Coordinates of all heavy atoms in Angstrom, one line a residue:
M271 N 96.8 34.5 51.9 CA 97.5 33.7 52.8 C 98.6 34.6 53.5 O 99.4 35.3 52.8 CB 98.3 32.6 51.9 CG 99.1 31.7 52.7 SD 99.7 30.4 51.6 CE 101.1 29.9 52.5
N272 N 98.5 34.7 54.8 CA 99.4 35.5 55.5 C 100.0 34.8 56.7 O 99.4 34.7 57.7 CB 98.5 36.8 56.0 CG 99.4 37.9 56.6 OD1 100.6 37.9 56.5 ND2 98.7 39.0 56.9
I273 N 101.2 34.4 56.6 CA 102.0 33.7 57.6 C 103.0 34.5 58.2 O 103.9 35.0 57.6 CB 102.5 32.3 57.1 CG1 101.5 31.5 56.5 CG2 103.3 31.6 58.3 CD1 101.9 30.2 55.8
F274 N 102.9 34.7 59.6 CA 103.9 35.7 60.2 C 104.0 37.0 59.6 O 105.1 37.6 59.6 CB 105.3 34.9 60.3 CG 105.3 33.6 60.9 CD1 105.7 32.5 60.1 CD2 105.0 33.4 62.2 CE1 105.7 31.3 60.9 CE2 105.0 32.2 62.8 CZ 105.4 31.2 62.0
G275 N 103.0 37.5 59.1 CA 102.9 38.9 58.5 C 103.5 38.9 57.1 O 103.9 39.9 56.6
I276 N 103.8 37.7 56.5 CA 104.5 37.6 55.3 C 103.4 37.1 54.2 O 102.8 36.1 54.4 CB 105.6 36.6 55.2 CG1 106.7 37.0 56.2 CG2 106.3 36.5 53.8 CD1 107.8 36.1 56.4
G277 N 103.3 38.0 53.2 CA 102.3 37.6 52.1 C 102.8 36.6 51.1 O 104.1 36.1 51.2
L278 N 102.1 36.2 50.2 CA 102.4 35.2 49.2 C 103.6 35.7 48.3 O 104.6 35.0 48.1 CB 101.3 34.9 48.3 CG 101.5 33.8 47.4 CD1 101.8 32.5 48.1 CD2 100.2 33.4 46.5
P279 N 103.6 37.0 47.9 CA 104.8 37.5 47.1 C 106.1 37.5 47.8 O 107.1 37.1 47.3 CB 104.4 39.0 46.6 CG 102.9 39.1 46.8 CD 102.5 38.1 47.9
E280 N 106.0 37.8 49.1 CA 107.3 37.8 50.0 C 107.7 36.4 50.1 O 108.9 36.2 50.1 CB 107.0 38.5 51.2 CG 106.8 40.0 51.1 CD 105.3 40.3 51.0 OE1 104.5 39.5 51.0 OE2 105.1 41.7 50.8
M281 N 106.8 35.4 50.3 CA 107.1 34.2 50.6 C 107.8 33.5 49.3 O 108.7 32.8 49.4 CB 105.8 33.4 50.9 CG 106.2 31.8 51.2 SD 106.4 31.7 53.1 CE 104.7 32.0 53.7
A282 N 107.3 33.9 48.1 CA 107.8 33.4 46.9 C 109.3 33.9 46.8 O 110.2 33.2 46.3 CB 107.0 33.9 45.7
L283 N 109.4 35.1 47.0 CA 110.8 35.8 46.9 C 111.9 35.1 47.9 O 113.0 34.7 47.5 CB 110.7 37.3 47.3 CG 112.0 38.0 47.1 CD1 112.5 38.1 45.7 CD2 112.0 39.4 47.5
I284 N 111.4 34.8 49.1 CA 112.2 34.1 50.0 C 112.7 32.7 49.5 O 113.8 32.3 49.6 CB 111.5 34.0 51.4 CG1 111.5 35.5 52.0 CG2 112.4 33.1 52.4 CD1 110.7 35.5 53.3
M285 N 111.7 32.0 49.0 CA 111.9 30.6 48.4 C 112.9 30.7 47.2 O 113.7 29.8 47.2 CB 110.5 30.0 48.0 CG 109.7 29.6 49.2 SD 110.5 28.5 50.4 CE 110.5 27.0 49.3
I286 N 112.6 31.7 46.4 CA 113.7 31.9 45.3 C 115.1 32.2 45.7 O 116.1 31.6 45.3 CB 113.1 33.0 44.2 CG1 111.9 32.5 43.7 CG2 114.2 33.3 43.3 CD1 111.1 33.5 42.8
V287 N 115.2 33.0 46.6 CA 116.5 33.4 47.3 C 117.1 32.1 47.9 O 118.4 31.8 47.7 CB 116.6 34.6 48.2 CG1 117.7 34.8 49.0 CG2 116.1 36.0 47.4
A288 N 116.3 31.3 48.6 CA 116.8 30.3 49.3 C 117.3 29.2 48.3 O 118.4 28.5 48.3 CB 115.8 29.7 50.1
L289 N 116.4 29.1 47.1 CA 116.8 28.1 46.2 C 118.1 28.5 45.5 O 119.1 27.6 45.2 CB 115.8 28.1 45.1 CG 115.9 27.1 43.9 CD1 115.9 25.6 44.4 CD2 114.8 27.3 43.0
L290 N 118.3 29.8 45.3 CA 119.6 30.4 44.6 C 120.9 30.0 45.7 O 121.9 29.7 45.1 CB 119.5 31.8 44.3 CG 118.6 32.1 43.0 CD1 118.4 33.7 42.9 CD2 119.1 31.4 41.8
I291 N 120.7 30.3 46.9 CA 121.8 30.2 47.9 C 122.0 28.8 48.2 O 123.3 28.4 48.0 CB 121.3 31.0 49.1 CG1 121.2 32.4 48.9 CG2 122.4 30.6 50.3 CD1 120.7 33.3 50.1
F292 N 121.1 27.9 48.4 CA 121.4 26.6 48.9 C 121.4 25.6 47.8 O 121.9 24.5 48.0 CB 120.4 26.2 50.1 CG 120.5 27.1 51.2 CD1 119.4 27.9 51.6 CD2 121.6 27.0 52.0 CE1 119.6 28.8 52.6 CE2 121.8 27.7 53.1 CZ 120.7 28.6 53.5
G293 N 120.7 25.8 46.8 CA 120.6 24.9 45.6 C 119.4 23.9 45.7 O 119.0 23.7 46.9
P294 N 119.0 23.3 44.7 CA 117.8 22.4 44.8 C 118.0 21.1 45.5 O 117.0 20.6 46.0 CB 117.5 22.1 43.3 CG 118.8 22.3 42.6 CD 119.6 23.3 43.2
K295 N 119.2 20.6 45.7 CA 119.5 19.5 46.5 C 119.4 19.7 48.0 O 119.1 18.7 48.8 CB 120.8 18.8 46.1 CG 120.9 18.3 44.7 CD 122.2 17.6 44.3 CE 122.1 17.1 42.9 NZ 123.3 16.4 42.5
K296 N 119.8 20.7 48.4 CA 119.8 21.0 49.8 C 118.6 21.6 50.4 O 118.3 21.5 51.5 CB 121.1 22.1 50.1 CG 121.6 22.1 51.5 CD 122.7 21.0 51.6 CE 123.4 21.4 52.9 NZ 123.9 20.3 53.5
L297 N 117.8 22.1 49.5 CA 116.5 22.8 49.9 C 115.6 21.8 50.7 O 115.0 22.3 51.8 CB 115.8 23.4 48.8 CG 115.0 24.7 49.1 CD1 115.6 25.7 50.0 CD2 114.4 25.3 47.8
P298 N 115.3 20.6 50.3 CA 114.4 19.8 51.0 C 114.9 19.4 52.3 O 114.2 19.3 53.4 CB 114.3 18.4 50.1 CG 114.7 18.9 48.6 CD 115.7 20.0 48.9
E299 N 116.2 19.3 52.4 CA 116.8 18.9 53.8 C 116.6 20.0 54.6 O 116.3 19.9 55.9 CB 118.3 18.7 53.6 CG 119.1 18.2 54.8 CD 120.6 18.0 54.6 OE1 121.0 17.4 53.5 OE2 121.3 18.3 55.5
I300 N 116.8 21.3 54.3 CA 116.6 22.5 55.0 C 115.2 22.6 55.6 O 114.8 22.9 56.6 CB 117.1 23.8 54.4 CG1 118.7 23.7 54.2 CG2 116.7 25.0 55.1 CD1 119.1 24.7 53.2
G301 N 114.2 22.3 54.6 CA 112.9 22.4 54.9 C 112.4 21.4 56.0 O 111.7 21.7 56.9
R302 N 113.1 20.2 55.9 CA 112.8 19.1 56.8 C 113.3 19.6 58.2 O 112.6 19.3 59.2 CB 113.5 17.8 56.4 CG 112.4 16.8 55.9 CD 113.1 15.5 55.6 NE 113.4 15.4 54.1 CZ 114.4 15.4 53.5 NH1 115.6 15.4 54.2 NH2 114.6 15.3 52.2
S303 N 114.4 20.1 58.4 CA 115.0 20.3 59.6 C 114.3 21.6 60.1 O 114.1 21.8 61.4 CB 116.5 20.7 59.4 OG 116.7 22.0 58.6
M304 N 113.8 22.5 59.3 CA 113.0 23.6 59.8 C 111.6 23.2 60.3 O 111.0 23.6 61.3 CB 112.8 24.7 58.7 CG 114.0 25.6 58.5 SD 113.7 26.8 57.2 CE 112.4 27.9 58.0
G305 N 111.0 22.2 59.6 CA 109.8 21.6 60.1 C 110.0 20.9 61.5 O 109.1 21.0 62.3
K306 N 111.0 20.1 61.5 CA 111.3 19.5 62.8 C 111.4 20.5 63.9 O 111.1 20.4 65.1 CB 112.6 18.7 62.7 CG 112.3 17.4 62.0 CD 113.6 16.5 61.8 CE 113.5 15.3 61.1 NZ 114.7 14.6 60.9
A307 N 112.1 21.7 63.7 CA 112.4 22.7 64.6 C 111.1 23.4 65.1 O 110.7 23.6 66.2 CB 113.3 23.7 64.1
V308 N 110.1 23.6 64.1 CA 108.9 24.2 64.4 C 108.1 23.3 65.1 O 107.4 23.7 66.1 CB 108.2 24.6 63.1 CG1 106.7 24.9 63.2 CG2 108.9 25.9 62.3
R309 N 108.1 21.9 64.8 CA 107.3 20.8 65.6 C 107.8 20.9 67.0 O 107.0 20.7 67.9 CB 107.3 19.6 64.8 CG 106.4 18.5 65.3 CD 106.5 17.3 64.6 NE 106.6 17.4 63.3 CZ 107.6 16.9 62.5 NH1 108.7 16.3 63.1 NH2 107.6 17.1 61.2
G310 N 109.2 20.9 67.2 CA 109.7 20.8 68.5 C 109.3 22.0 69.3 O 109.0 21.9 70.5
F311 N 109.3 23.1 68.7 CA 108.8 24.4 69.5 C 107.3 24.4 69.8 O 107.0 24.6 70.9 CB 109.0 25.6 68.5 CG 108.6 26.8 69.1 CD1 109.3 27.4 70.2 CD2 107.4 27.5 68.7 CE1 108.9 28.6 70.7 CE2 107.0 28.6 69.3 CZ 107.7 29.3 70.3
Q312 N 106.6 23.7 69.0 CA 105.1 23.7 69.3 C 104.9 22.6 70.4 O 104.1 23.0 71.3 CB 104.3 23.1 68.0 CG 104.2 24.1 67.0 CD 103.5 23.6 65.7 OE1 103.5 22.4 65.4 NE2 102.9 24.5 64.9
E313 N 105.6 21.5 70.4 CA 105.5 20.6 71.4 C 106.0 21.2 72.8 O 105.3 21.0 73.9 CB 106.3 19.3 71.2 CG 105.8 18.4 70.1 CD 106.6 17.3 69.7 OE1 107.7 17.2 70.2 OE2 106.2 16.6 68.7
A314 N 107.1 21.8 72.7 CA 107.6 22.6 74.0 C 106.5 23.6 74.6 O 106.3 23.8 75.7 CB 108.9 23.2 73.8
S315 N 106.0 24.3 73.5 CA 104.9 25.3 73.9 C 103.7 24.7 74.6 O 103.3 25.1 75.6 CB 104.5 26.0 72.7 OG 103.5 26.9 73.0
K316 N 103.2 23.5 74.0 CA 102.1 22.9 74.6 C 102.5 22.3 76.0 O 101.7 22.3 76.9 CB 101.7 21.7 73.7 CG 101.0 22.1 72.4 CD 100.6 21.0 71.6 CE 99.9 21.5 70.3 NZ 99.6 20.4 69.4
E317 N 103.8 21.7 76.1 CA 104.1 21.2 77.4 C 104.1 22.4 78.6 O 103.6 22.1 79.6 CB 105.5 20.6 77.3 CG 106.0 19.9 78.6 CD 107.3 19.2 78.3 OE1 107.5 18.8 77.2 OE2 108.1 19.0 79.4
F318 N 104.7 23.5 78.1 CA 104.7 24.6 79.0 C 103.3 25.0 79.4 O 103.1 25.4 80.6 CB 105.5 25.8 78.4 CG 105.5 27.1 79.2 CD1 106.3 27.2 80.2 CD2 104.7 28.1 78.8 CE1 106.2 28.3 81.1 CE2 104.7 29.3 79.5 CZ 105.4 29.4 80.7
E319 N 102.4 25.2 78.3 CA 101.0 25.6 78.7 C 100.4 24.6 79.6 O 99.7 24.9 80.6 CB 100.2 25.5 77.3 CG 98.8 26.1 77.5 CD 98.1 26.1 76.2 OE1 98.8 26.1 75.2 OE2 96.8 26.3 76.1
N320 N 100.5 23.2 79.4 CA 100.0 22.2 80.3 C 100.6 22.3 81.7 O 99.8 22.3 82.7 CB 100.2 20.8 79.7 CG 99.4 20.6 78.5 OD1 98.4 21.1 78.2 ND2 100.0 19.6 77.7
E321 N 101.9 22.5 81.9 CA 102.5 22.7 83.1 C 101.9 23.9 83.9 O 101.5 23.8 85.0 CB 104.0 22.8 83.0 CG 104.8 23.0 84.4 CD 104.7 21.6 85.2 OE1 104.4 20.6 84.5 OE2 104.8 21.7 86.4
F322 N 101.8 25.0 83.1 CA 101.1 26.3 83.7 C 99.8 26.1 84.1 O 99.4 26.4 85.3 CB 101.2 27.4 82.6 CG 100.8 28.7 83.1 CD1 101.7 29.5 83.8 CD2 99.6 29.2 82.8 CE1 101.4 30.7 84.3 CE2 99.2 30.4 83.3 CZ 100.0 31.2 84.0
K323 N 98.9 25.4 83.5 CA 97.7 25.0 83.8 C 97.5 24.2 85.0 O 96.7 24.4 85.9 CB 96.8 24.5 82.7 CG 96.5 25.3 81.5 CD 95.7 24.5 80.4 CE 95.3 25.5 79.2 NZ 94.6 24.7 78.3
R324 N 98.4 23.2 85.0 CA 98.4 22.4 86.2 C 98.8 23.1 87.5 O 98.2 22.9 88.6 CB 99.6 21.1 86.0 CG 98.9 19.9 85.9 CD 99.9 18.8 85.7 NE 100.3 18.8 84.3 CZ 101.6 18.6 83.8 NH1 102.6 18.3 84.7 NH2 101.9 18.7 82.5
E325 N 99.9 24.0 87.4 CA 100.2 24.7 88.5 C 99.1 25.6 89.0 O 98.9 25.9 90.1 CB 101.5 25.6 88.2 CG 102.7 24.7 88.1 CD 103.2 24.1 89.5 OE1 103.0 24.6 90.4 OE2 103.6 22.9 89.3
A326 N 98.5 26.3 88.0 CA 97.4 27.2 88.3 C 96.2 26.4 89.0 O 95.7 27.0 89.9 CB 96.8 27.8 87.0
E327 N 95.9 25.2 88.6 CA 94.8 24.5 89.3 C 95.3 24.0 90.7 O 94.5 24.1 91.5 CB 94.6 23.2 88.4 CG 93.8 23.4 87.1 CD 93.8 22.1 86.3 OE1 94.2 21.1 86.8 OE2 93.1 22.2 85.3
Q328 N 96.5 23.8 90.9 CA 97.0 23.4 92.4 C 97.0 24.6 93.2 O 96.5 24.4 94.4 CB 98.5 22.9 92.2 CG 98.6 21.5 91.7 CD 100.1 21.1 91.6 OE1 101.0 21.9 91.8 NE2 100.3 19.8 91.2
I329 N 97.2 25.8 92.6 CA 97.2 27.0 93.5 C 95.8 27.3 93.8 O 95.4 27.7 95.0 CB 97.8 28.3 92.8 CG1 99.3 28.0 92.7 CG2 97.5 29.5 93.4 CD1 100.1 29.0 91.8
E330 N 94.8 27.2 92.9 CA 93.5 27.4 93.0 C 92.8 26.5 94.0 O 92.0 26.9 95.0 CB 92.6 27.2 91.7 CG 91.3 27.6 91.8 CD 90.5 27.5 90.4 OE1 91.2 27.6 89.3 OE2 89.2 27.2 90.4
Q331 N 93.3 25.3 94.0 CA 92.8 24.2 95.1 C 93.3 24.6 96.4 O 92.6 24.5 97.4 CB 93.3 22.8 94.6 CG 92.5 22.2 93.4 CD 93.1 20.9 93.1 OE1 94.1 20.5 93.5 NE2 92.4 20.3 92.2
A332 N 94.6 25.0 96.5 CA 95.1 25.4 97.8 C 94.3 26.7 98.4 O 94.1 26.7 99.4 CB 96.5 25.8 97.7
V333 N 94.0 27.7 97.4 CA 93.3 28.8 97.9 C 91.9 28.3 98.3 O 91.4 28.9 99.4 CB 93.1 29.9 96.8 CG1 92.1 31.0 97.1 CG2 94.6 30.5 96.5
Q334 N 91.2 27.5 97.7 CA 89.8 27.0 98.1 C 89.9 26.3 99.4 O 89.1 26.5 100.3 CB 89.3 26.1 97.0 CG 88.8 26.8 95.7 CD 88.3 25.9 94.6 OE1 88.4 24.7 94.7 NE2 87.8 26.5 93.6
T335 N 90.9 25.5 99.5 CA 91.0 24.8 100.8 C 91.3 25.7 102.1 O 90.7 25.5 103.1 CB 92.4 23.7 100.7 OG1 92.1 22.8 99.6 CG2 92.5 22.9 102.1
T336 N 92.1 26.7 101.7 CA 92.4 27.7 102.7 C 91.1 28.5 103.1 O 90.9 28.7 104.3 CB 93.6 28.6 102.2 OG1 94.8 27.9 102.0 CG2 93.8 29.6 103.4
A337 N 90.3 28.8 102.0 CA 89.1 29.6 102.3 C 88.2 28.7 103.1 O 87.4 29.3 103.8 CB 88.5 30.0 100.8
Q338 N 88.1 27.4 102.8 CA 87.3 26.6 103.6 C 87.6 26.4 105.0 O 86.9 26.3 106.0 CB 87.1 25.2 102.9 CG 86.4 25.3 101.6 CD 86.5 23.9 100.9 OE1 87.1 23.0 101.3 NE2 85.7 23.8 99.6
L339 N 89.0 26.3 105.2 CA 89.5 26.0 106.6 C 89.6 27.3 107.5 O 89.3 27.2 108.6 CB 90.9 25.4 106.4 CG 91.0 24.1 105.9 CD1 92.5 23.5 105.9 CD2 90.3 23.1 106.7
E340 N 89.8 28.4 106.8 CA 89.8 29.7 107.6 C 88.7 30.0 108.5 O 89.0 30.2 109.8 CB 90.2 30.8 106.7 CG 91.2 31.7 107.1 CD 91.6 32.8 105.9 OE1 90.7 33.4 105.6 OE2 92.8 32.8 105.7
P341 N 87.4 29.9 108.1 CA 86.4 30.1 109.1 C 86.3 29.1 110.3 O 86.0 29.5 111.4 CB 85.1 30.0 108.1 CG 85.5 30.3 106.8 CD 86.9 29.7 106.7
K342 N 86.7 27.9 109.9 CA 86.8 26.8 111.1 C 87.9 27.3 112.0 O 87.6 27.2 113.2 CB 86.9 25.5 110.4 CG 85.8 25.1 109.6 CD 86.1 23.7 108.9 CE 85.0 23.2 108.0 NZ 85.4 21.9 107.3
Q343 N 89.0 27.6 111.5 CA 90.1 28.1 112.4 C 89.7 29.2 113.2 O 90.0 29.3 114.5 CB 91.3 28.2 111.6 CG 91.9 26.9 110.9 CD 92.9 27.2 110.1 OE1 93.3 28.3 109.6 NE2 93.9 26.2 109.9
I344 N 89.1 30.2 112.6 CA 88.7 31.4 113.3 C 87.7 31.1 114.4 O 87.8 31.5 115.5 CB 88.1 32.5 112.4 CG1 89.2 33.1 111.5 CG2 87.5 33.6 113.1 CD1 88.8 33.8 110.3
A345 N 86.7 30.2 114.0 CA 85.7 29.9 115.0 C 86.4 29.0 116.2 O 86.0 29.3 117.4 CB 84.6 29.0 114.4
A346 N 87.3 28.2 115.8 CA 88.0 27.5 116.9 C 88.8 28.3 117.8 O 88.8 28.2 119.1 CB 88.8 26.4 116.2
A347 N 89.4 29.3 117.2 CA 90.3 30.3 118.0 C 89.4 31.1 118.8 O 89.7 31.4 120.0 CB 91.0 31.3 117.0
E348 N 88.2 31.5 118.3 CA 87.2 32.3 119.2 C 86.7 31.6 120.3 O 86.6 31.9 121.5 CB 86.1 32.9 118.3 CG 86.5 34.0 117.3 CD 85.5 34.5 116.5 OE1 84.4 33.8 116.4 OE2 85.6 35.4 115.8
A349 N 86.4 30.2 120.0 CA 85.9 29.3 121.1 C 87.0 29.1 122.2 O 86.8 29.2 123.4 CB 85.5 28.0 120.4
S350 N 88.2 29.0 121.7 CA 89.3 28.8 122.7 C 89.5 30.1 123.6 O 89.7 30.0 124.7 CB 90.5 28.4 121.8 OG 91.7 28.4 122.7
E351 N 89.5 31.1 122.7 CA 89.6 32.5 123.5 C 88.5 32.7 124.5 O 88.7 33.2 125.6 CB 89.6 33.7 122.4 CG 90.0 34.9 123.0 CD 90.1 36.0 121.8 OE1 90.9 35.7 121.0 OE2 89.3 37.0 121.9
N352 N 87.2 32.4 124.1 CA 86.2 32.6 125.1 C 86.3 31.6 126.3 O 85.9 32.0 127.4 CB 84.8 32.2 124.3 CG 84.4 33.3 123.4 OD1 84.9 34.4 123.5 ND2 83.5 32.9 122.4
N353 N 86.9 30.4 126.0 CA 86.9 29.4 127.3 C 88.1 29.9 128.1 O 88.0 29.9 129.3 CB 87.4 28.1 126.7 CG 86.2 27.4 126.0 OD1 85.2 27.7 126.1 ND2 86.5 26.3 125.2
T354 N 89.1 30.4 127.5 CA 90.2 31.1 128.3 C 89.7 32.3 129.0 O 90.1 32.6 130.3 CB 91.4 31.4 127.3 OG1 91.7 30.3 126.5 CG2 92.6 32.0 128.1
T355 N 88.9 33.2 128.4 CA 88.4 34.3 129.0 C 87.4 33.9 130.2 O 87.6 34.6 131.3 CB 87.7 35.2 128.0 OG1 88.6 35.6 127.0 CG2 87.3 36.6 128.6
S356 N 86.7 33.1 130.0 CA 85.7 32.7 131.0 C 86.3 32.0 132.2 O 85.9 32.1 133.4 CB 84.5 31.8 130.5 OG 85.0 30.6 129.9
S357 N 87.4 31.2 131.9 CA 88.1 30.5 132.9 C 88.8 31.5 133.8 O 88.9 31.4 135.0 CB 89.1 29.5 132.4 OG 88.4 28.5 131.5
S358 N 89.4 32.5 133.2 CA 90.1 33.5 134.0 C 89.3 34.4 134.8 O 89.7 34.9 135.7 CB 91.1 34.4 133.1 OG 90.4 35.1 132.2
Q359 N 88.0 34.7 134.3 CA 87.1 35.5 135.1 C 86.5 34.7 136.3 O 86.1 35.3 137.2 CB 86.0 36.0 134.1 CG 86.3 37.0 133.2 CD 85.2 37.3 132.2 OE1 84.1 36.8 132.2 NE2 85.6 38.3 131.3
S360 N 86.5 33.5 136.3 CA 85.9 32.6 137.3 C 86.7 32.6 138.6 O 87.7 32.8 138.9 CB 85.6 31.2 137.0 OG 84.8 31.2 135.9

């Protein structure tokens, strides 16, 4: 078992030190608050990831739309330029 690079012996030592410092009555409360903090961090992380994915999809759609419109705009500009050039030569 290796959580955050901490093995089982190190985890046991941390728990013993926490038990000595905070006492048996305060330890469950501290555990609960740490659990809530970790859960909140996970939720915020998922929300950030979802927002990042949404923005990336929007950018990708914008790029695809631009890539589809660009050849049409170039063709329209060339046609317009050809019409202008042929009009001025006449």
Side-chain angles (χ1 to χ4, degrees):
M271 184 170 158
N272 191 357
I273 301 172
F274 302 116
I276 299 174
L278 190 58
E280 290 90 0
M281 187 92 67
L283 181 65
I284 291 170
M285 291 301 291
I286 291 170
V287 170
L289 183 62
L290 290 173
I291 291 174
F292 298 110
K295 291 183 181 181
K296 199 80 163 158
L297 207 54
E299 184 180 323
I300 292 170
R302 257 184 256 112
S303 64
M304 285 182 62
K306 287 179 183 178
V308 169
R309 193 176 318 118
F311 178 75
Q312 288 175 339
E313 289 174 2
S315 176
K316 286 179 185 177
E317 186 177 329
F318 175 76
E319 183 179 349
N320 290 337
E321 183 67 28
F322 185 78
K323 285 180 181 179
R324 249 182 280 143
E325 290 295 326
E327 287 173 0
Q328 287 178 354
I329 291 171
E330 187 175 333
Q331 287 175 354
V333 168
Q334 288 176 351
T335 303
T336 303
Q338 291 172 355
L339 291 177
E340 225 170 53
K342 293 175 185 176
Q343 290 174 340
I344 291 172
E348 287 176 351
S350 173
E351 190 175 294
N352 288 341
N353 288 340
T354 306
T355 305
S356 63
S357 297
S358 62
Q359 290 177 355
S360 297

